[in-house]
Amino acid sequence: MKRKEQLILVRGGGDIASGTIYKLLQCGYSVLVLETEMPSAIRRYAAFSEAVYDGVSRVEDKTCRLAGNFREARKIMETGEAAMLVDPDCRVLKEACPFALVDAILAKKNLGTSREMAPKTIALGPGFQAGRDADLVIETMRGHQLGRVIHEGSALPDTGVPGLIQGYGAERVIHAPAAGRMENLRKIGDIVKKGEPIARILGAAGEVTEVPASLDGLLRGLIRDGYPVTEGFKIADIDPRQEEYDNCFTISDKARCIAGGVLEGILFLEEQEEKR
């Protein structure tokens, strides 16, 4: 069977998932992305999930288009582009017969993926047991094990602390100090100074809460303007390396490494199937 005829469903279209989507497209697979009604990616220029809002999204040189149903999605995939459906519950499985399914939601828990969904199933990160919830699990924790294909057991548990960049970890990620609607004052790619407001949160009762930059650096990620957030919600990401402007618009090293693990896993499962 040609790879073009091998449909792969990818649950999630955030920036980490988009590394996998990109690599699968590059290798010739047909890719259908399943997203929620309101994706919350902050690295929006490196996330195919933006197609939910704009109808189309482009990450580097690959395109993903929003479809209204599976028939429309198939037509999109025939052109070599990825298709997207708003389908967090995988209802499309009533029509589609995927070659493989990849859970790339990165929710730190299983939101309904099972091995019965496709002949080959792969899940990213903690919350899944290889051999029970999915055939294989891919390690998503930065470090020596990143991208490793796990055949038995689970990925490392989430620490809640981002990987270090120039000595900065938790400071790099900004969480909403209050609940309300986002009003962005800066844009992705801007150089910001610690303490200066990058956004405001407009509360239900009219209160306004400023969101200050947590450190000097490059505003690499910022949640979509107007997005309704809860207190503690992840809303922005600052890279202390001010010279890394292009990183705002390209797939990260972490996402590429994980994507390599996914591709390895798919080819491994295909090889095992042929041996049987």
Side-chain angles (χ1 to χ4, degrees):
M1 183 184 291
K2 295 180 180 179
R3 286 183 185 160
K4 184 77 172 176
E5 300 168 358
Q6 295 174 323
L7 171 63
I8 300 181
L9 299 186
V10 179
R11 299 190 71 189
D15 64 293
I16 297 298
S18 293
T20 290
I21 294 163
Y22 182 97
K23 188 171 289 289
L24 294 175
L25 289 173
Q26 189 81 331
C27 293
Y29 292 102
S30 292
V31 182
L32 177 57
V33 187
L34 308 181
E35 255 297 353
T36 64
E37 293 181 357
M38 293 185 65
S40 58
I42 62 171
R43 293 205 60 227
R44 292 179 285 113
Y45 297 140
F48 287 116
S49 58
E50 289 296 284
V52 171
Y53 300 105
D54 301 329
V56 61
S57 59
R58 191 166 177 84
V59 175
E60 298 191 14
D61 60 345
K62 300 297 182 188
T63 300
C64 179
R65 295 185 189 275
L66 182 66
N69 52 53
F70 184 54
R71 182 164 55 182
E72 289 181 14
R74 280 189 298 190
K75 291 181 179 179
I76 292 169
M77 291 185 287
E78 285 171 2
T79 70
E81 297 178 342
M84 178 173 288
L85 289 173
V86 175
D87 184 11
D89 300 320
C90 294
R91 296 185 304 273
V92 74
L93 286 173
K94 295 177 182 178
E95 303 175 75
C97 297
F99 167 75
L101 181 143
V102 179
D103 188 312
I105 299 172
L106 296 174
K108 314 298 190 298
K109 59 182 178 181
N110 188 345
L111 296 180
T113 290
S114 69
R115 295 178 72 186
E116 290 70 40
M117 287 179 165
K120 303 164 190 64
T121 53
I122 296 175
L124 309 190
F128 301 91
Q129 185 86 11
R132 185 190 67 189
D133 305 305
D135 295 315
L136 303 170
V137 172
I138 309 299
E139 182 56 67
T140 57
M141 178 76 75
R142 280 193 182 274
H144 190 73
Q145 304 297 323
L146 179 64
R148 183 179 292 275
V149 179
I150 300 168
H151 296 257
E152 294 182 8
S154 306
L156 294 170
D158 179 44
T159 63
V161 179
L164 290 176
I165 295 180
Q166 291 190 349
Y168 294 99
E171 307 97 317
R172 293 196 297 107
V173 177
I174 298 175
H175 296 85
R181 182 174 59 83
M182 289 288 295
E183 184 179 85
N184 294 340
L185 304 176
R186 304 301 298 268
K187 64 182 185 300
I188 293 174
D190 284 353
I191 300 297
V192 297
K193 295 291 184 182
K194 182 177 180 178
E196 75 167 275
I198 62 170
R200 295 185 296 197
I201 298 175
L202 309 180
E207 66 276 22
V208 177
T209 305
E210 284 196 343
V211 180
S214 53
L215 53 91
D216 293 354
L218 180 70
L219 190 57
R220 190 174 68 161
L222 182 63
I223 202 165
R224 196 175 182 89
D225 188 64
Y227 196 92
V229 299
T230 55
E231 185 176 352
F233 203 83
K234 183 178 176 181
I235 57 173
D237 175 9
I238 297 177
D239 190 333
R241 301 168 298 179
Q242 298 186 16
E243 69 280 6
E244 301 287 350
Y245 177 78
D246 289 346
N247 289 1
C248 299
F249 312 97
T250 55
I251 298 166
S252 69
D253 55 344
K254 178 177 180 178
R256 290 187 197 279
C257 185
I258 291 168
V262 172
L263 182 60
E264 176 190 332
I266 290 171
L267 296 178
F268 169 80
L269 292 171
E270 189 174 28
E271 178 73 10
Q272 293 299 106
E273 185 178 61
E274 289 177 1
K275 287 180 179 179
R276 289 195 295 267

